[in-house]
Structures are given as C-alpha cells and as structure tokens.
Amino acid sequence: MINRRNFLKNVGLTGSLLTMPAALLNAKSLTAAKTNIDLSAITLRGKVQCEGKGVAGVPVTDGINITLTDKNGLYELVSNATAEFVYISVPAGYAFPEHKSIAAFYKPISKNNYKNDFNLEKLKVDDRKHTFVVWADPQMKSKKDVELLISQSVPDLQAVIKSYPADTLIHGIGCGDLVWDEFELFEDYKHAVEMCGIPFFNVIGNHDMDNEARTDDKSANTFKQQFGPTYYSYNRGELHYIVLDDVFFLGVAKKYIGYITENQLQWLEQDLALVKPGTTIILSLHIPTFTGAGRRSGKNEDELGGTVANRQQLYKMLAPFKVHIMSGHTHFNDNWEQDDIMEHNHGTVCGAWWTGPICGDGTPSGYGVYEVNGSDIKWHYKSTGQAKDRQLRIYPKGRIKDAPDELAVNVWNWDKKWKVEWFEDGVSKGPMEQRVAYDPWAFELYAGPLLPKVRKFVEPVLTDHMFFAKPSPDAKKITVKVTDRFGNVYEETV
C-alpha cells in the first residue's frame, strides 16, 4: 500500500513537471536558487540486513514518504535534497541499534552518498515481554543539576534494571527537555544514559530547541545533530512505538505552542497504514496532548503552550488502535483516559527543576516504569530513592491550614480505576473524598515569591489526586488503603 502510494506521488510529481510551461520551471529554479533551497530529486538506496541476509518488509523513510524493503532487504526511495535523514522503523524481533545507549536507527543523508545500509541483530529472547521506562524532563541547567542526575536518578534506574532477570529487554524514552537550553549539557545527558546501560529513544522538548532560529523549521538543528530525527517509529513485540515533535517554535526565544505539523501528520498516516488496527501503540511526545490543568484552574481553554492545539486531528488518526500517550513538560503527574486512548503525563526526573524533592503537585521526582506482556501493559510510578511500593503520602490532621480537622492523602499516579479507602481504628469508613487541591508539602516548599530559594518561579499546582477524610476526635489510628487498577494494594498508617 505504501509503495503504491509513493509510486503515485512520484508519478504525479513527474507528470506535473512534464506538463509545466518552461517559463514556470525556470521561475521555480530561480526561486530555489535565491532562497538557497535545493529541491532537486534524489534517490535513496540501500539494504537492511541481519548477518548479511536481507530483511524484508522493513519500513524505510526520509521523514516524508515511507517504503518497504523487498524480499532481499533492498529499498529505493525517491526523495529530495531537503531530506536530512534516511531511517528505519526497527522491526519486532530485532535489537535496537544504538551508539553508547542512544538509539541509532538513522543515517544522515550526505550529498556525496545516497546509499545507506542498516545492520540489524536478531534478539535471542521473545520480545513480546519487555519493559520500558519514561524519563520526562531531566532538564539540566548547570553542572550542579548534572551532579544530581548522576548521583540520584542514574543509580535509581540502575537498581530498577538490576531488579529484573538479566535477559530482560528494557529500553528508555527520554521524553523531552533533556537539558534546559544549555546544549553543552547534552553530552552529560548522554553520559547519564550510557551509565544506565539500556538503549534510549529521545523526544525533543521546548528547552531542547534552538532559540536563535527564525522559524520552527530550523529550531531542531542542534537536537538533530545529537539524536537524529524528531519523529519516527519502532517496534517491539506486539507493540508499535511512535515519537512525535509537538513543540512548534514561534521564532521568538522561548515562545512556542503545542502543535503537530502537517508534514508529521502526513508521515504518520503512512506509518499507521502499516499497523494492524487494534494494535497497541505507545506514542511519545513532550507537550501533553491534554491534561486536567485548565479545568482545575477554572479556565475554559488550555494554554497554547500547555497542550497540543490540533490534538483532535491526532486522536482521529489513532482511533483504530489502543493507544498510550507518554508526555512530560508540565512537571506534574496526570492521567486521563477516554475510549481507547490513555495519556500518562509524567512527573519529572528533575522534580521542581532540581530545586526540591517533589513536583508542584506533590509527586516525587521520578519516572514511569511500564511492563509489557503481549499487548497487556502494567505500570507504576517509580519515585527516585524510594521503594517501588511507595505510591502515596499521608498528611495528618493539622497539616492543611484551611481544613485543620481533616486528614489528606496524595496518590500521585491515581487514575479513575484506582480505589482510595480509609479505616479508623480498624473500622472501614469507605472511600475518601476526592477534591481538587494543593499538596500541603508542595505549598509549604514553593508557594510565594520568595520560595524556593534556588528557582523562585516554581509554584504549587492544583491536582486531582488529593483525597480527604475527617477522623473522629478520639481516633487513635488511621489507615489508608489504596488499590491500583491492577489490584496492587498499598497501605500507610498514621
């Protein structure tokens, strides 16, 4: 289907060129020369192979069109001189190509060489069972931030990796804002990833863009030099993974909106045409497609830089599939679910920009861990430096200034399929009351113009995952029992 589509596109282009008046052809070439844009056609060729044998049916793309390798693993793709990379969608059953733990599924297109081969390595284990982790917003601004990432986040992830059997397939997704505008720190990020010892696929964030660019088109130049294309796909087991660039630069430093370009959507249409309907898709991007932040703050519309403006068009394209969206950017934890789409907006590796142990909603600094078995996925939020089963924090009576008689609980990875119950002196009191509220500790750490001392712009944010109960005056022991959507039970007592 894809080959036929490319054939028709190329025929259409050739036909229009053949019938176009010579004056127009000359005008276009003069315009191209004046603007320094080379639109000349090129043909990309090569082979995808494993141990010298061609691998058939592998998607190969220039970021514009997609073709499939033939029975001998050969590909041929008509492109143009604006294309920057040729890259593959790594098929299931094969190891992820990597260079020092950075995924290396692409080749820069050189004017001197349009032939690029890709070598794959067959996996020795069944990849239908695998794990992946999502690191959102490492966001390092200084070498001190780097030291915290290396001394806290890296050992924590290393320990998680070691907790699995030695042959477990694990990969990482760096979900954007890998650094905080300081591009020399990309090397430190790469070093941290290499220390973890698993392949990482990376997403561009708003703090990974070139602020000097005059348009969005050139804003990813530095990122591309470091990590390759900003949108692509890969496969593992029964899952199809997609990465998109949803940060649209407005041509003014640090000004952007959440938006997916038409180029990406056209490419995505082709990519999804190769995926069987009903397949589980993991879609990673930096700015969340949607969150509850607007509703919680009483606004009718989301801020343009806070969610993806054209998300409904994306959802329509994803409708035939079961989709989990992985996002970052907000520095809070938020889960929503509708039909066959669920978005996991992650708390951050850096917490509150490396200036406190928790995010603005009280979520500890940390990351998501996702365990895949066939098309079934289970997950948990891993707080840095804390045990896997630490999934809530209790605030005793008196901690909440405007509700001194109430006890509060923050269940940071909560979604609507969780249960939050409480017991007073061993007697069940039923579900706790859910309210939109601030986390008390986040309020103490970050509220006001003088806090926190390091980065004063940090403020607490309203969240849906706060729960409340009013114990009896003579109660001696309160137990909170939280059951997640997978039946795991977490209890804490005050």
Side-chain angles (χ1 to χ4, degrees):
M1 182 174 179
I2 295 302
N3 285 325
R4 179 175 177 272
R5 180 183 293 167
N6 288 343
F7 175 75
L8 290 173
K9 282 186 178 179
N10 293 333
V11 168
L13 176 62
T14 305
S16 63
L17 287 174
L18 288 173
T19 57
M20 194 178 292
L24 277 179
L25 281 174
N26 290 334
K28 287 191 78 67
S29 63
L30 287 171
T31 303
K34 184 178 180 181
T35 57
N36 201 31
I37 298 174
D38 185 357
L39 297 176
S40 57
I42 62 174
T43 301
L44 304 173
R45 295 184 176 89
K47 185 176 185 178
V48 180
Q49 56 195 352
C50 177
E51 297 179 352
K53 239 180 130 178
V55 182
V58 177
V60 183
T61 183
D62 58 355
I64 305 166
N65 290 319
I66 300 174
T67 190
L68 299 175
T69 56
D70 66 15
K71 63 181 181 180
N72 298 313
L74 300 173
Y75 71 89
E76 185 171 296
L77 181 62
V78 176
S79 183
N80 69 68
T82 64
E84 299 174 88
F85 302 98
V86 58
Y87 48 105
I88 63 173
S89 184
V90 181
Y94 292 88
F96 297 136
E98 61 177 279
H99 177 68
K100 295 183 177 179
S101 291
I102 299 297
F105 55 91
Y106 62 93
K107 301 287 180 69
I109 296 174
S110 165
K111 289 186 177 180
N112 301 319
N113 183 20
Y114 296 139
K115 184 178 184 299
N116 287 284
D117 296 337
F118 295 87
N119 295 305
L120 295 175
E121 179 185 339
K122 195 75 176 171
L123 288 168
K124 295 179 175 64
V125 296
D126 185 351
D127 64 351
R128 287 177 297 179
K129 193 171 185 179
H130 66 273
T131 295
F132 66 94
V133 300
V134 178
W135 262 18
D137 301 72
Q139 202 157 340
M140 299 167 290
K141 187 74 172 173
S142 65
K143 285 292 185 179
K144 186 174 181 181
D145 296 342
V146 172
E147 289 170 9
L148 292 171
L149 181 76
I150 299 294
S151 65
Q152 297 177 8
S153 307
V154 168
D156 194 88
L157 180 51
Q158 288 173 332
V160 167
I161 294 167
K162 287 178 182 177
S163 71
Y164 290 92
D167 62 350
T168 303
L169 296 172
I170 306 177
H171 74 277
I173 299 171
C175 213
D177 282 3
L178 311 180
V179 298
W180 189 353
D181 303 321
E182 308 297 332
F183 292 159
E184 68 274 12
L185 300 182
F186 274 139
E187 288 304 317
D188 295 284
Y189 170 78
K190 287 180 172 181
H191 176 60
V193 163
E194 186 180 6
M195 289 176 69
C196 296
I198 59 173
F200 258 76
F201 292 86
N202 296 287
V203 180
I204 188 170
N206 53 291
H207 287 292
D208 303 317
M209 297 191 305
D210 296 287
N211 282 311
E212 298 78 20
R214 66 183 184 183
T215 65
D216 181 66
D217 292 339
K218 300 296 183 181
S219 64
N221 282 359
T222 301
F223 181 92
K224 289 175 181 176
Q225 290 167 9
Q226 299 286 335
F227 304 103
T230 59
Y231 58 95
Y232 52 91
S233 68
Y234 58 98
N235 303 274
R236 175 142 279 183
E238 297 179 16
L239 271 57
H240 184 63
Y241 290 80
I242 298 168
V243 168
L244 293 179
D245 168 8
D246 67 347
V247 184
F248 189 89
F249 180 64
L250 297 177
V252 179
K254 302 184 181 181
K255 298 292 183 182
Y256 57 88
I257 61 173
Y259 180 80
I260 301 171
T261 61
E262 178 63 17
N263 285 351
Q264 289 184 78
L265 293 178
Q266 286 194 22
W267 171 87
L268 182 60
E269 278 183 317
Q270 299 175 68
D271 182 79
L272 293 176
L274 297 171
V275 182
K276 182 181 176 182
T279 296
T280 298
I281 288 177
I282 306 298
L283 171 63
S284 299
L285 33 68
H286 179 62
I287 296 176
T289 66
F290 184 69
T291 73
R295 167 183 50 78
R296 290 190 288 268
S297 59
K299 297 178 182 177
N300 292 327
E301 295 184 6
D302 298 306
E303 294 181 12
L304 285 175
T307 58
V308 175
N310 57 339
R311 60 182 173 271
Q312 294 299 336
Q313 304 305 319
L314 177 64
Y315 297 160
K316 287 177 185 177
M317 295 172 66
L318 296 172
F321 310 96
K322 297 176 182 176
V323 183
H324 289 268
I325 300 174
M326 307 289 154
S327 57
H329 185 60
T330 62
H331 294 251
F332 58 67
N333 209 73
D334 192 67
N335 297 306
W336 67 267
E337 191 171 9
Q338 184 174 330
D339 300 324
D340 283 329
I341 296 179
M342 182 171 189
E343 180 155 10
H344 311 260
N345 183 217
H346 295 80
T348 58
V349 172
C350 71
W353 294 265
W354 300 111
T355 196
I358 57 175
C359 300
D361 66 337
T363 300
S365 58
Y367 50 96
V369 179
Y370 296 79
E371 297 173 339
V372 180
N373 189 355
S375 61
D376 182 52
I377 306 176
K378 294 182 178 179
W379 59 86
H380 65 274
Y381 186 86
K382 177 62 177 70
S383 302
T384 304
Q386 299 184 39
K388 174 183 175 180
D389 60 359
R390 185 78 199 282
Q391 295 294 322
L392 64 143
R393 184 187 307 115
I394 300 181
Y395 295 99
K397 285 198 308 181
R399 190 71 179 268
I400 310 164
K401 292 181 180 179
D402 57 355
D405 295 329
E406 289 187 312
L407 170 143
V409 178
N410 191 334
V411 187
W412 41 80
N413 209 28
W414 172 88
D415 64 57
K416 290 184 178 180
K417 292 185 178 178
W418 289 47
K419 290 193 301 182
V420 182
E421 307 164 278
W422 69 294
F423 298 79
E424 181 178 283
D425 295 328
V427 178
S428 174
K429 293 292 185 176
M432 297 185 73
E433 179 191 352
Q434 181 192 9
R435 295 205 300 262
V436 173
Y438 292 105
D439 176 90
W441 191 19
F443 201 86
E444 294 163 6
L445 288 173
Y446 307 137
L450 300 180
L451 294 173
K453 292 182 179 179
V454 179
R455 285 159 182 159
K456 293 182 172 56
F457 65 86
V458 179
E459 289 292 329
V461 295
L462 291 168
T463 180
D464 287 322
H465 47 71
M466 290 296 301
F467 297 82
F468 298 85
K470 190 173 182 180
S472 304
D474 57 349
K476 296 179 180 178
K477 184 173 77 171
I478 303 297
T479 299
V480 175
K481 178 183 176 183
V482 174
T483 307
D484 69 15
R485 64 191 288 140
F486 309 113
N488 299 308
V489 177
Y490 311 99
E491 286 189 5
E492 290 198 16
T493 297
V494 292

